[in-house]
Amino acid sequence: MYTQAMDTLPPDAASNVAPLRSAEEAALQARFDARIDAGDFIEAKDWMPENYRKTLTRQISQHAHSEIVGMLPEGNWISRAPTLKRKAILLAKVQDEAGHGLYLYAAAETLGTSRDQLTQALLTGKAKYSSIFNYPTLSWADVGCIGWLVDGAAIMNQVPICRCSYAPYARAMIRICREESFHQRQGFESLLTIMTQGTAAQKAMVQAAVNRWWWPTVMMFGPPDDQSPNSAQSMRWGIKRVSNDELRQKFIDAAVEQARVLGVTLPDPDLQWNAARGAHDHGTINWAEFWQVIAGDGPCNRERLAARVDAWEEGAWVREAALAYAQKQVPEALAA
Ligand code: BYC
């Protein structure tokens, strides 16, 4: 199986390791801290504090689930893409997202949690996935907005993760970022085509989609820094390199110029350049909506989870067939 690790621990290895004597543990912790301070990368077989392992498993698995659930809103339009070219592009993009999910599940597995455990956490609603995928895609322009805004935000967040201190995650992110950058451009180009060649009604469709996606995208970066319980420790460990608010600001600053080129208005009357800060001020974010969506009560949470549960159940025969095939190969391989 494809893995991001150079060398992987067996799934239950972490729990099999005998408890370390405290002096030994203190020495290992000190060495780990020194490596993090020196900007070293940690590999799967290296000693790491249990909370570092847990934090990474949480973040990487949530990230993997986001890629997989993120296929649903765009997948909704594959059969209704306006041209063969757009359909081929969208098919390729949605397949790329599946690939990203697989790289990330493989990276999470290197930390000692099995793919089945990770999947069950998603299907039972225990694990989170990005809030953004709980919003509907009502028109073809929503697909363009996912590319332009959602993938644009994803790149902003993911480029710093290419330098994450956990090497298997960092390696996965390098490849993912290259593909996300193509995704962002195709979304922008699709919207630009409508805005430069479309009818008035089609242009209005783009503006309506931008109005729907702007605020949920701004929320994607997570809660404000002073309300982000995981940030301080994740920054200390080099898992997060740039804070939620800083990334959000960078995204907003870049999007303002892109919106101008597209000829759309961002739905925030308070958005304006602040020369003193060298950045755009923006309006108040509706954090109550964000917390409601991540608590499971957004516009499409139930639909998204139900779709994943159905896919898991309907895919049972594929898993059984693959297992039966693999079991047949083992004796043949041993005999060879
Ligand atoms: N949605 O302490 P905080 C894609 C949770 S997919 C849901 O700041 P952290 C694409 C957070 O988990 C891109 N939950 O947390 C795919 C925490 O709850 P728990 C997905 C969120 O981890 C298909 C709590 O709120 N990208 O690009 O330090 C098609 C407090 O937050 C969200 C990634 O996953 C949210 N938006 O920072 C198109 C990137 N935000 O776990 C595109 C990797 C926060 O303590 N992840 N929460 O119960 C990260 O960089 C970080 O995990 C986050 C949050 C910045 C998202």
Side-chain angles (χ1 to χ4, degrees):
M1 158 138 344
Y2 176 79
T3 171
Q4 292 295 334
M6 295 298 184
D7 203 347
T8 315
L9 286 170
D12 58 350
S15 53
N16 285 345
V17 175
L20 290 158
R21 287 200 309 278
S22 58
E24 258 178 301
E25 185 159 11
L28 287 167
Q29 176 76 53
R31 189 170 134 62
F32 174 87
D33 291 344
R35 289 185 66 191
I36 294 283
D37 290 345
D40 266 9
F41 288 100
I42 308 296
E43 291 289 350
K45 276 185 79 175
D46 296 343
W47 184 88
M48 61 185 83
E50 256 334 283
N51 280 341
Y52 178 81
R53 186 186 298 280
K54 273 195 198 139
T55 297
L56 278 165
T57 306
R58 176 186 65 80
Q59 177 167 327
I60 303 173
S61 63
Q62 286 178 2
H63 195 163
H65 300 326
S66 304
E67 301 282 356
I68 298 300
V69 177
M71 296 165 73
L72 296 169
E74 289 181 286
N76 179 35
W77 280 88
I78 291 173
S79 60
R80 291 174 288 161
T83 65
L84 185 58
K85 178 182 131 184
R86 295 290 173 198
K87 185 178 179 124
I89 293 172
L90 186 57
L91 261 175
K93 179 186 189 297
V94 172
Q95 277 183 334
D96 283 352
E97 308 300 359
H100 298 173
L102 296 188
Y103 308 154
L104 289 165
Y105 281 128
E109 280 184 303
T110 65
L111 292 157
T113 305
S114 73
R115 172 82 172 272
D116 276 352
Q117 288 171 305
L118 300 170
T119 305
Q120 284 313 312
L122 171 68
L123 300 183
T124 54
K126 260 195 259 162
K128 291 191 171 69
Y129 58 86
S130 182
S131 50
I132 194 74
F133 301 117
N134 292 306
Y135 291 85
T137 39
L138 303 180
S139 75
W140 171 250
D142 290 55
V143 173
C145 281
I146 293 186
W148 171 41
L149 294 173
V150 176
D151 286 291
I155 299 169
M156 207 55 98
N157 164 280
Q158 290 173 175
V159 166
I161 307 177
C162 297
R163 292 183 290 114
C164 167
S165 61
Y166 188 56
Y169 191 22
R171 280 195 288 272
M173 290 318 302
I174 291 169
R175 184 154 172 187
I176 291 174
C177 282
R178 289 199 188 117
E179 291 178 354
E180 294 293 16
S181 150
F182 155 75
H183 294 171
Q184 195 268 353
R185 279 155 187 257
Q186 68 78 36
F188 185 83
E189 193 269 340
S190 162
L191 296 180
L192 191 63
T193 303
I194 304 176
M195 293 306 290
T196 51
Q197 297 170 31
T199 63
Q202 288 168 333
K203 291 178 190 175
M205 174 179 79
V206 172
Q207 183 61 59
V210 171
N211 294 348
R212 279 194 293 280
W213 287 91
W214 175 251
W215 288 108
T217 306
V218 167
M219 292 175 199
M220 251 180 96
F221 294 90
D225 293 346
D226 59 5
Q227 291 163 44
S228 162
N230 301 300
S231 276
Q233 185 60 71
S234 287
M235 302 278 278
R236 166 75 188 84
W237 276 329
I239 294 172
K240 266 173 133 164
R241 299 282 184 189
V242 186
S243 83
N244 296 0
D245 284 333
E246 280 176 84
L247 288 169
R248 186 171 8 254
Q249 183 71 60
K250 277 179 77 172
F251 167 76
I252 291 172
D253 291 338
V256 166
E257 177 59 15
Q258 291 161 3
R260 194 189 58 74
V261 173
L262 271 182
V264 295
T265 306
L266 296 174
D268 178 357
D270 297 324
L271 198 57
Q272 58 180 351
W273 180 249
N274 180 331
R277 286 202 309 122
H280 289 86
D281 290 336
H282 59 80
T284 309
I285 299 171
N286 183 352
W287 290 112
E289 174 182 323
F290 171 79
W291 293 116
Q292 188 178 334
V293 171
I294 70 169
D297 201 15
C300 299
N301 293 60
R302 287 166 194 83
E303 190 185 320
R304 299 292 184 238
L305 212 52
R308 289 313 312 156
V309 170
D310 285 353
W312 177 255
E313 287 170 359
E314 285 165 21
W317 68 272
V318 179
R319 294 191 297 278
E320 283 159 20
L323 201 61
Y325 179 77
Q327 278 162 353
K328 270 187 168 170
Q329 303 307 302
V330 175
E332 280 167 30
L334 287 177

